[in-house]
Amino acid sequence: MSEQDEVPSEDRRKYEFRKVIEELKDYEGSGTQLVTIYIPPDKQISDVVAHVTQEHSEASNIKSKQTRTNVQDALTSIKDRLRYYDTFPPDNGMVVFSGAVDSGGGRTDMVTEVLESPPQPIESFRYHCDSAFLTEPLAEMLGDKGLYGLIVLDRRESNVGWLKGKRVQPVKSAESLVPGKQRKGGQSAQRFARLRLEAIDNFYQEVAGMADDLFVPKRHEIDGILVGGPSPTKDEFLDGDYLHHELQDKVLGKFDVSYTDESGLSDLVDAGQAALAEADLMDDKSDMEEFFEELNGGKLATYGFEQTRRNLIMGSVDRLLVSEDLREDVVIYECPNDHEEYETIDRRNTSPEHTCSDCGEEAAEVDREDAIDHLMSIADQRGTETHFISTDFEKGEQLLTAFGGYAGILRYSTGV
Ligand SMILES: [Zn+2]
């Protein structure tokens, strides 16, 4: 596959985003002069240009000449960038950052970055001018990996919705026809009780129908389902097997919540925090379990930058495991005898001298790039999935500290 045909994987795009955000987060402006604009997908570019033009003219009121010039330069730079876009921004919208950042010694550098198509749609237009760029909303979006189904119910009403990352999204609601406990005069107690049970059963079926409609089509993407409500309603609902059996298997737990309106969905997320944190780490944990099993008894584990890289090139890696906290560059050296060698270093350090381990000659640096990018681009060409592994659990921490942050689970043993 040629360089141009290479389509970056979702994970790789997220990694690129994360890198840019980390860089932007560290910048500071000497005044309130760093401009950030969040543009939702349905916002016309011409509207954004009009807004920027307006801000540009208002900026003429800024007292400090330096800040005024910096803000206006940033806005001009943003307008220049917006020219490249048609009527609407790309899918999911985009975020524009521009401003004069301190580069030490009283000097400034003009920085302009455009991040297109974030992993989730930008919800509302935001214009922000401050001494720092506004990166939190994007950073939150990237930290969000889970998709969870939410159900709250009592005998009167029910709401179902999604938890996407940190955002709760109510989707459907229902109200029941279950009569209160007080029966009307003239009704026999027995008949009343039976009708009431029937009504409750009907309502549970209706709630399950709502949940099935919403969740079943997404059952392979859902990381779990939380059910909330008072007792014994939520217990009756779950124990009665009303939910589609594949959804039933996804239930992470049931939690006490007092409200069953839309606000109850947020209460449910609060109550289920521990279960959600556990579920978020589940994929990472199972990857690392498998890695350690192969390391101890099998033949399908590899680790360290060089070994992992060689296996990737052979196409033998099923899953590339990279520590989420890794920030390294790889320096590529070539000696006079054409031996190529790789050395990974902390991103903030300058490239060290390198002696060829093959022939002992001094080797010259021929290239330097982000180490994860380097591996992921090979992975993308070989159909290897990349998984970023959190350091929030013991074996994840070990990937970083004991294995250099790079590992792979192999499709077949290569002896490398
Ligand atoms: Zn050499």
Side-chain angles (χ1 to χ4, degrees), residues 80-95:
D80 284 347
R81 287 300 186 98
L82 291 174
R83 282 209 195 109
Y84 294 103
Y85 296 89
D86 295 331
T87 320
F88 291 103
D91 289 347
N92 283 359
M94 64 191 202
V95 191

Side-chain angles (χ1 to χ4, degrees), residues 335 337 339 356 358-361:
C335 80
N337 299 317
H339 300 130
C356 178
D358 213 346
C359 63
E361 297 275 349

Side-chain angles (χ1 to χ4, degrees), residues 336-407:
N337 299 317
D338 289 338
H339 300 130
E340 198 181 58
E341 294 195 333
Y342 296 77
E343 197 172 327
T344 54
I345 55 164
D346 190 299
R347 189 174 292 163
R348 293 160 300 187
N349 295 346
T350 51
S351 309
E353 300 288 315
H354 187 88
T355 310
C356 178
S357 65
D358 213 346
C359 63
E361 297 275 349
E362 277 301 302
E365 172 178 346
V366 291
D367 203 359
R368 172 173 173 159
E369 63 173 321
D370 182 287
I372 295 177
D373 269 343
H374 182 92
L375 295 184
M376 282 182 100
S377 100
I378 307 172
D380 282 354
Q381 291 170 29
R382 299 288 191 276
T384 300
E385 270 183 48
T386 302
H387 290 184
F388 282 91
I389 306 292
S390 162
T391 49
D392 289 345
F393 63 106
E394 200 190 334
K395 290 194 166 81
E397 177 82 44
Q398 280 174 358
L399 174 63
L400 183 64
T401 54
F403 299 96
Y406 312 94

